[in-house]
Structures are given as C-alpha cells and as structure tokens.
Amino acid sequence: MASRNISRFWEWGKKIICVGRNYANHAKELKNAIPTQPVLFLKPPSAYVREGSPILVPAYTSELHHEVELGVVIGKAGTAIPQSAAMEHVAGYALCLDMTARDVQDDCKSKGLPWTLAKAFDTSCPVSEFVPKERVPDPGNVKLWLTVNDQLRQSGCTSHMIFSVPYLISYISGFISLEEGDLILTGTPEGVSAVQEHDELRAGIEDVVTMSFRVDRREQ
Ligand code: MG
C-alpha cells in the first residue's frame, strides 16, 4: 500500500488531528485529569513547518511550550475504522512538535473557550521527513526525545500512551473521516517547557529520524 507519492504530498493541505493528555505523567504535570476517552483538537494545514524554516513565537504569548509527539500519517481513507483494521490505514509516521502557547491555553481553559489560538497558529506543527511504516515496526514502543540548546527536556516512550495508535484511528474516524495524507499527533510525554527566541530544538524518534528547528519571534 503506502500509496502514491505520499512522502511528497502528505504535509500540504491535509488536516492535522491532535490528541491531548495521552500520557498520564503529562496530564499530571499540567494538573489535568486522566481522560477516559481521547481529547481531540485540530490544527490547520498552515500550521505545518519543515526543517530550514523557523518556529515563530506569536506576539501574544510569553510561554511557548514544546511537545514532542509521534505523528501517524494516514495512507488510506476511512470512516468508522475498526481497531482490527486500523493499521492498514497507516502509510507511515513523522516526528512532530505540538507547539503550544501555554499561557493562552490556560486562559482559554479557565474561560471554557476553544484552544485555537493556543494550538493552531502558523508554525505550530513542525514535522520531520516522512518515515515509511516499515521503519517503525511497533508504534506502541518507540522512544521520543527532545533537547533545547543541547539540554534534554523530554524523553518518553510511546508504550506509556493511554490510547494506542489503533484505538486512536478507530476513535477519531468515528467522528472525523480520515483521508490520505492526514496526520494524527498522538500526544506528548512529560517534560514540556518554554522556549525562547534563538533557542535550538532537536528531537528524534530513537535513531530512526531526527530534526532540528530554530525559534524566532514573529514580526507581526
Ligand atoms: Mg500535544
């Protein structure tokens, strides 16, 4: 399967579905309850940024956090996909950052408002190169890491996910049909922290793929 040229087009114009609080220790560090069903939110395609371009800090935040996450790239469309067939819909993976304006998110949460400005701004979704499915034999047992200026900030394993990749594909596709090229961000392990202008972020899925991004302030 793994479809026509997906490594080239998947990151353009396709929706990004994100899962929040999918690691118990991260939910705890932000003082959130452990969810009984996945917490979902969206990023628009304009959130994508690739290596070589900077992550831009929006002017309205003073607390931009990194969240390193395993991204799942959908290779075959589906609606209400059963868990038993979920992996047939996966083309591959990507290393992703769910950049989050935490102060804005906290404000939204306290007012019961959507997280859009905290999560969906331009460059809020840095992504690595496409990783073919065969290079990650078990997405439920890979290590994710992230450094800021060569200091280790996040080091986790997808074995600690509350909801597995097949479960997420099945759950999400019950509400939102998945299309070829869509990306699912599967949540972050603990260790999130703030980044500043000029910081250098490096992250990896074990030694399968690595990426680096510089942080800049957005001019307007
Ligand atoms: Mg996240």
Side-chain angles (χ1 to χ4, degrees), residues 18-20 26 41 67 69 98 100 119 185 187-188:
C18 305
V19 180
H26 171 62
F41 60 95
E67 297 187 357
E69 311 202 0
D98 169 17
T100 303
K119 291 281 199 179
L185 268 62
T188 193

Side-chain angles (χ1 to χ4, degrees), residues 50-91:
R50 296 296 306 269
E51 278 187 290
S53 296
I55 297 166
L56 298 174
V57 185
Y60 54 80
T61 180
S62 55
E63 194 181 15
L64 183 64
H65 276 190
H66 54 77
E67 297 187 357
V68 68
E69 311 202 0
L70 177 68
V72 178
V73 180
I74 297 299
K76 186 172 83 172
T79 302
I81 300 165
Q83 268 195 76
S84 57
M87 295 309 291
E88 297 167 22
H89 292 258
V90 175

Side-chain angles (χ1 to χ4, degrees), residues 134-145:
E134 297 71 31
R135 292 184 58 202
V136 180
D138 181 4
N141 190 21
V142 288
K143 293 188 173 63
L144 306 174
W145 57 268

Side-chain angles (χ1 to χ4, degrees), residues 55-199:
I55 297 166
L56 298 174
V57 185
Y60 54 80
T61 180
S62 55
E63 194 181 15
L64 183 64
H65 276 190
H66 54 77
E67 297 187 357
V68 68
E69 311 202 0
L70 177 68
V72 178
V73 180
I74 297 299
K76 186 172 83 172
T79 302
I81 300 165
Q83 268 195 76
S84 57
M87 295 309 291
E88 297 167 22
H89 292 258
V90 175
Y93 302 92
L95 179 61
C96 304
L97 303 183
D98 169 17
M99 298 305 297
T100 303
R102 191 72 67 200
D103 48 354
V104 177
Q105 187 192 28
D106 288 345
D107 189 49
C108 292
K109 281 160 66 176
S110 72
K111 293 175 179 166
L113 294 172
W115 298 354
T116 308
L117 294 185
K119 291 281 199 179
F121 53 87
D122 290 353
T123 77
S124 62
C125 191
V127 291
S128 71
E129 63 191 69
F130 176 77
V131 179
K133 183 181 188 175
E134 297 71 31
R135 292 184 58 202
V136 180
D138 181 4
N141 190 21
V142 288
K143 293 188 173 63
L144 306 174
W145 57 268
L146 179 139
T147 64
V148 179
N149 303 330
D150 295 325
Q151 285 197 319
L152 187 65
R153 297 279 184 90
Q154 290 191 269
S155 176
C157 184
T158 58
S159 61
H160 293 138
M161 283 183 182
I162 297 169
F163 304 106
S164 69
V165 169
Y167 186 91
L168 291 173
I169 290 171
S170 179
Y171 182 82
I172 292 167
S173 67
F175 306 103
I176 302 170
S177 290
L178 293 172
E179 300 167 285
E180 191 180 14
D182 284 349
L183 177 67
I184 299 172
L185 268 62
T186 57
T188 193
E190 69 272 23
V192 302
S193 67
V195 297
Q196 313 291 337
E197 188 180 359
H198 306 311
D199 280 349

